[in-house]
Amino acid sequence: MPNASPLIRRETFDDLPCWRVQTADADLLIAEQGAQILSYRRSGEPPLIWLSEQARGLRGQSVRGGVPVCWPWFGDLARNPAALLAQYRGDAAPFHGLVRNLAWECREQEIEGDGVRLLFVCPQPEDGLPGWPHAVEVALEIRLDSRLHIALRSHNHGQRAVWLSQALHSYFAVSDIRTVEVRGLENRRYIETLDDWRECSQEGPLRFEGETDRIYLDLPARLELHDSGWQRHICLESRSAHTAVLWNPWIAKARRLSQFAEDAWQRMLCIETANVWNDCIELAPGARHALDLCLWSEAAP
């Protein structure tokens, strides 16, 4: 779309209503279900955000890939702090929270020069979601210009403090997981969930030789995903997240995943910008918090 004005239009992905955003040099697809970014590509580049070739857009079911929103907890609720665990009063708690499969409302759309801004809000009762009786409004702001900006915003309208863990569960497209590396994790502590949740320390850039599921702690503001096969770096910057979850299922687990080809592990890497572990958020009455992520690509030198 050279020299074209930005466009925002409605379309569907299987059964899911979506919004397609196009600018002069980028294309973005967002599902209303979960306010989930499904795909993101810059002109002349492979995708930055990966969507499984076998992904299905079905109501009430998670879509494999994109950027799922995990809120008001991340992962297994039982692995969250006791104060957060005590807030849930429902039956079996779903992994990654309560909002991934809900229909969010696109309340605001703006074209700002060569860029676009959208605001999605998760409608819920005034007294909170089922099993989670807390009056916290959650919204996702997405801005697309020369970079992609995402902000997961929480506003506590209640009279009591609320604990949150959360993540922007981003799937990144890579040329070959065996040849990429993540920089910015050097000398950082991490939780090795595949080894009885043992605490370890990262030596050098992270490279991948098998299944990976780690929670990195006390992170710098910027991480870089270096991809020599596609001769680019994907840069991730966040001022409000000090933890990140890095995940790739590798060969054996890939065979057990839904909406996931047996060889798809080679083409993706999750770097999940998060507030988890000791980075959980205590949101006082009336307080607001935004989990932010800015991502872009640069040509490799």
Side-chain angles (χ1 to χ4, degrees):
M1 294 178 52
N3 302 316
S5 298
L7 295 175
I8 305 171
R9 70 172 187 268
R10 294 273 284 173
E11 59 180 70
T12 58
F13 174 63
D14 293 336
D15 296 337
L16 299 183
C18 297
W19 294 92
R20 173 78 67 181
V21 177
Q22 293 178 303
T23 65
D25 58 0
D27 184 273
L28 179 68
L29 182 64
I30 310 155
E32 287 185 352
Q33 178 171 279
Q36 181 175 348
I37 292 172
L38 296 178
S39 61
Y40 172 49
R41 180 191 293 267
R42 306 294 302 184
S43 299
E45 286 189 41
L48 279 81
I49 295 296
W50 179 83
L51 180 66
S52 170
E53 301 91 338
Q54 296 186 1
R56 296 292 309 281
L58 303 175
R59 293 179 187 270
Q61 296 186 24
S62 299
V63 179
R64 179 71 67 185
V67 187
V69 172
C70 305
W71 188 97
W73 63 79
F74 173 83
D76 183 352
L77 179 58
R79 289 283 184 180
N80 282 263
L84 198 160
L85 179 59
Q87 295 175 152
Y88 184 64
R89 301 171 189 172
D91 297 325
F95 261 54
H96 295 320
L98 300 171
V99 301
R100 288 191 301 161
N101 297 332
L102 298 181
W104 293 46
E105 179 185 348
C106 185
R107 291 217 183 144
E108 297 179 14
Q109 300 177 20
E110 293 181 81
I111 293 177
E112 304 170 328
D114 295 329
V116 173
R117 173 186 169 274
L118 297 96
L119 181 70
F120 291 84
V121 177
C122 182
Q124 54 182 291
E126 290 185 3
D127 58 352
L129 297 164
W132 199 79
H134 306 284
V136 182
E137 181 183 60
V138 58
L140 190 76
E141 182 181 62
I142 300 169
R143 289 192 296 114
L144 178 62
D145 45 40
S146 60
R147 300 179 177 185
L148 178 60
H149 311 261
I150 312 170
L152 180 60
R153 303 187 183 278
S154 303
H155 182 192
N156 185 1
H157 294 283
Q159 302 301 311
R160 293 177 295 174
V162 174
W163 284 86
L164 303 172
S165 70
Q166 54 189 350
L168 298 169
H169 193 310
S170 309
Y171 288 74
F172 290 97
V174 299
S175 61
D176 188 332
I177 188 63
R178 295 162 292 195
T179 62
V180 303
E181 66 179 31
V182 180
R183 300 178 187 173
L185 302 172
E186 295 85 348
N187 303 315
R188 305 292 172 164
R189 296 180 300 126
Y190 66 89
I191 306 300
E192 179 55 88
T193 71
L194 300 177
D195 185 11
D196 198 28
W197 294 69
R198 181 170 58 93
E199 185 173 307
C200 307
S201 180
Q202 177 68 38
E203 296 183 6
L206 175 62
R207 301 181 179 92
F208 301 88
E209 299 176 346
E211 182 181 352
T212 302
D213 192 354
R214 297 176 176 179
I215 303 171
Y216 280 85
L217 311 173
D218 305 319
L219 294 185
R222 176 165 166 168
L223 299 177
E224 295 182 357
L225 171 56
H226 289 247
D227 190 335
S228 58
W230 282 341
Q231 297 184 312
R232 76 175 181 191
H233 315 319
I234 298 178
C235 303
L236 295 78
E237 189 171 82
S238 178
R239 302 293 176 181
S240 59
H242 305 292
T243 49
V245 181
L246 278 87
W247 179 76
N248 181 283
W250 219 252
I251 301 169
K253 189 169 185 178
R255 296 180 179 137
R256 305 193 299 270
L257 294 175
S258 63
Q259 302 182 36
F260 201 92
E262 283 195 8
D263 63 348
W265 60 272
Q266 301 173 47
R267 300 185 289 276
M268 53 70 62
L269 172 64
C270 282
I271 305 178
E272 305 166 33
T273 301
N275 297 123
V276 298
W277 212 247
N278 293 331
D279 190 30
C280 284
I281 303 301
E282 183 180 10
L283 201 62
R288 303 171 186 262
H289 181 270
L291 172 62
D292 69 298
L293 172 63
C294 175
L295 65 93
W296 68 96
S297 60
E298 297 179 351

